[in-house]
Amino acid sequence: MTEQQEPSTTTRYTPSEFEDSIYQIWQDSGLFTPPADGLRPTFTVMIPPPNVTGVLHMGHALNNTLQDVVIRHRRMTGYDALWVPGTDHAGIATQAVVEKKLYLEQDLKRSDMGRDAFVDEIWKWREHHGDVILNQLQKLGASCDWSRTKFTLDPGMSLAVRTAFVKMWEKKLVYRGSRLVNWDCNLETAVSDDEIEYVTRKGQIYTLRYPLADSDEYIDVATTRPETMLGDMGVAVHPDDKRYAHMVGKNIALPLTHRLIPIVADDSVVADYGTGAVKITPGHDPADYERGQRHNMQVMNILNGDGTMNEECGQFAGLPREKAREEIVAAFEKLELFVGVEDITHNVTISDRSKSVIEPLVSEQWFVRMSEMSQPAINAVNDGSLNFKPARWKNVYLDWLENVHDWCISRQLWWGHRIPVWYDEDNTPLASIEDVEIGSLHPETGKPIVRQDEDVLDTWASSWLWPFATLGWPDSETSQDLTRFYPTQFLSTGRDIIYLWVARMVMAGYAFLDEMPEADRCPFSTCYIHATVLDGQGRRMSKSAGNGIDPVEMINEYGADAVRYSLMILTREGQDVKLADNRFELGQRFCNKIFNVARYVMTHLKGDFTAPADSAFCFEDKWIKSRLAHLNVTISQALENYDFHDAAQALYRFTTDDFCDWYVELSKRRLWAIDDAEVTDEVLASAQAAKNTLGEVLSDLLKLLHPFTPFLTEKLWAELPQDFREDRGLLMGSEWPVADEAAQNVELEHQFDKLRDAVRAIRNVRALLEIPAGNMPEANVHCEEESDVELFNEQASLVSFAAHLESIDVKSIDAASPVATGTDVFSAGAIFLPMPIDADTSKLRSNLEKKLSKIKGGLIGLEKKLSNAKFVENADSEIVEGERQRMHELQIECKTVEANLQNL
């Protein structure tokens, strides 16, 4: 596509006919890969790696369009722009998918296969399905450097993960210990505090009676999980609660067991809540764990990894926890120790992966000491090294870091980065970057190594290294990319992983890149938190709700550019976007507008082209060039500041209003003039100036549109005559247009606005008076300022052509108003149009009265809505502003109709 292509003969915008072929041309061009010469400054974006199990959803479509807009713009503005793609191995999610597949298709469980065979099956699955989402991103137009595609289990990534682990080991930042963790019984693994959700569910609270040992007294306790009583180690009461003061220090004979447990006083108990007595189960409740620590209580685990009761539970051993609950309640009833049950609604902790209820239990796991690593990440925001957009999200980031807990990084899975620790026969650990051979001697104890740790690392323990591990760290021989492209400049991600991923990446940059100056360690300078895509009713899209919109289906129906542009213009900074299928029609109509105006312009750019003299350019030529120069500044600044909606909206207004509706329409009077029998050189030169302006504006407009609508603009660029594309290559590789400062003329734009406002007023009156389209009356224009009288006299032919008039008679505002006319005011005065000779005034009056009644009814409804404080506070600001604008328009329209009724 380096040579000019013949303009398309198709009369319809049909993206399916060219999008795939254009993407292939881009890939073949090598422009996705930055040149190796390193002569230009760099700009780097790291894709948030989607799960290898994933398919493109609307959140991906939004986020990757944002990133592609950024990278295409920076590529055109002179940067060696690199966008690194890749996927995440998604430990829990991927293992669950393959386990389910094997069970359904072959009736196999991973325990039947063994670790190595099972992991081999996952790799096979990954080879067949792992790149689906990356291929879908190509359909969207993502201009990633696919030659640098990374997978979080690639050998280079594995080396980075092991290196980071060993560095933490050497600094004593990682340790293994028994602690209360969040346990997913479905997946049989620990999950971190950041991988759980709280949901409101209906449940029951049970009151159990505990008898005191050697006494007839008893104490009642309430719990939502009666089965955990088998792990109770005590009962706590408030030290000032007089009801129980005499019991403190005594023992309870715990029912269904042969154990005695103490009654203790603890300030954390709320005396007037429930019975005022709290059972302490240190092994299965975070608050109880803390209470147990304070009172030196033993920790007992009563659950197996799959959620069944373990051998500590006597007659209930082996039962699923739900069944054990039923049988324990029945046993208490039989012992006449069951007080009652009450239905409640309460918060339940669930796993964000399996959605099963989390069981807190004590387990031996690996942890990272986060508090010691958090301060540099806090400083990065405070000293301006890292900026959030919108800025309010820095508070979420800082709040998490300032209250950070140790990170449980081990998972009881087989798919993932296996923890690089080996043990000798006495369980003395050894951390190593390289594999340690079984049977070799431990360097410190001299005893033989007998096994490697069975656990794998949390998925985030590889993705927190993503910004620099993908660039070659820690391999110094292949890390030229790290020197050249790190730190990166822009990260776009969702609010839900600010602490799961964003904060940890910043921590990792400062912790592991100790060979770099500290000022260069922050992995990105801007973190853009994009909107959440909701359905049309404002609900989050999800598979379970069945309310998702498939981006690939939308691309097939509307085209990738329509999907991209719709997402950009509908998404305002800091506001979530409500989306329904038909919202993409907005982007489709816009792309169709671009397609049609480009085809029209190019029909007038055929043949040899000679640039006209400056004197041939007229008022509207200078106006559109000034508007284009201002647009260039607006778009460039908006993209530099990551104001995507503002840029998309400015492009829409210029393209549809300034260019298509006004300049292109006005150019027709000069282009059509050359078809007259007696055409002068002056007319020819003026037409040539119009053609030149059309070509120049279209050329720059295609460049400004390209980051948003790359496929369509690339196609049209190839068809643009070479006189209007200084670079004969691909549009993607062309230079960003430079705003013509000399063309900017604010006063001329202000003058044109007056002319345009007058034309709109004339059109409005024509509609009100029902003047047939074929009629070309003479209009009177009365101006308030003498300078405007001169302006309208100079541009009388422009106004007459645009308003479909025979002519205009321009006078001062002091002139007498003509009789038998319709009227309207505009920004510089008033216009008057004569009544049609054959006008039926009674019918016209009736129609205007009906219209006035309808307008006033609309105003009453809007005034009522906008005076409703709840509507103004709760509705989207965009909707409220739209209603205010509509009310303003109706007020103006009301005055116009009333004035014309008075004239009648």
Side-chain angles (χ1 to χ4, degrees), residues 8 68 115 186 363 523 779 897:
S8 173
D68 196 47
R115 184 173 195 139
N186 276 19
S363 175
V897 174

Side-chain angles (χ1 to χ4, degrees), residues 780-784 789 809-818 830 832:
N780 286 274
V781 180
H782 292 188
C783 298
E784 294 178 354
V789 172
D809 184 12
V810 187
K811 297 178 180 178
S812 169
I813 198 71
D814 299 329
S817 300
F832 302 88

Side-chain angles (χ1 to χ4, degrees), residues 560-575:
D561 288 330
V563 170
R564 291 166 62 107
Y565 183 78
S566 297
L567 288 170
M568 292 299 94
I569 200 165
L570 292 172
T571 306
R572 292 175 178 269
E573 181 185 315
Q575 297 180 21

Side-chain angles (χ1 to χ4, degrees), residues 109 263 736 748:
K109 296 181 180 180
I263 298 173
W736 189 253
L748 186 144

Side-chain angles (χ1 to χ4, degrees), residues 501-617:
W501 191 45
V502 176
R504 287 171 178 167
M505 283 192 288
V506 179
M507 295 169 77
Y510 285 102
F512 302 129
L513 298 181
D514 37 24
E515 69 278 8
M516 284 188 178
E518 187 165 335
D520 295 336
R521 292 188 201 174
C522 189
F524 31 81
S525 51
T526 296
C527 178
Y528 183 92
I529 304 300
H530 64 71
T532 298
V533 182
L534 310 174
D535 70 7
Q537 299 176 43
R539 303 172 302 172
R540 289 194 71 136
M541 292 184 179
S542 68
K543 283 183 181 179
S544 57
N547 62 342
I549 299 174
D550 185 346
V552 176
E553 288 182 7
M554 296 301 100
I555 290 170
N556 291 337
E557 183 173 354
Y558 297 105
D561 288 330
V563 170
R564 291 166 62 107
Y565 183 78
S566 297
L567 288 170
M568 292 299 94
I569 200 165
L570 292 172
T571 306
R572 292 175 178 269
E573 181 185 315
Q575 297 180 21
D576 293 339
V577 56
K578 293 180 182 177
L579 206 59
D581 292 19
N582 60 4
R583 300 299 295 274
F584 296 105
E585 292 174 4
L586 184 155
Q588 186 185 45
R589 287 193 298 270
F590 183 58
C591 289
N592 200 53
K593 191 90 170 179
I594 298 167
F595 177 79
N596 286 333
V597 75
R599 286 182 67 250
Y600 169 80
V601 168
M602 284 190 274
T603 60
H604 293 283
L605 301 182
K606 295 177 181 178
D608 294 333
F609 198 88
T610 304
D614 288 346
S615 58
F617 292 95

Side-chain angles (χ1 to χ4, degrees), residues 92-120:
I92 293 176
T94 307
Q95 180 161 316
V97 166
V98 177
E99 277 197 88
K100 183 176 180 180
K101 177 178 180 291
L102 288 169
Y103 185 75
L104 291 176
E105 294 179 2
Q106 302 179 44
D107 196 26
L108 280 176
K109 296 181 180 180
R110 63 179 169 124
S111 55
D112 301 329
M113 303 173 65
R115 184 173 195 139
D116 292 344
F118 178 71
V119 170
D120 285 344

Side-chain angles (χ1 to χ4, degrees), residues 750-781:
H750 184 54
Q751 290 175 341
F752 190 91
D753 286 343
K754 295 177 182 178
L755 300 176
R756 178 160 53 179
D757 201 21
V759 170
R760 286 171 173 157
I762 293 167
R763 291 172 177 171
N764 188 31
V765 175
R766 284 188 72 119
L768 284 175
L769 299 183
E770 300 176 4
I771 298 174
N775 287 14
M776 296 183 65
E778 180 184 52
N780 286 274
V781 180

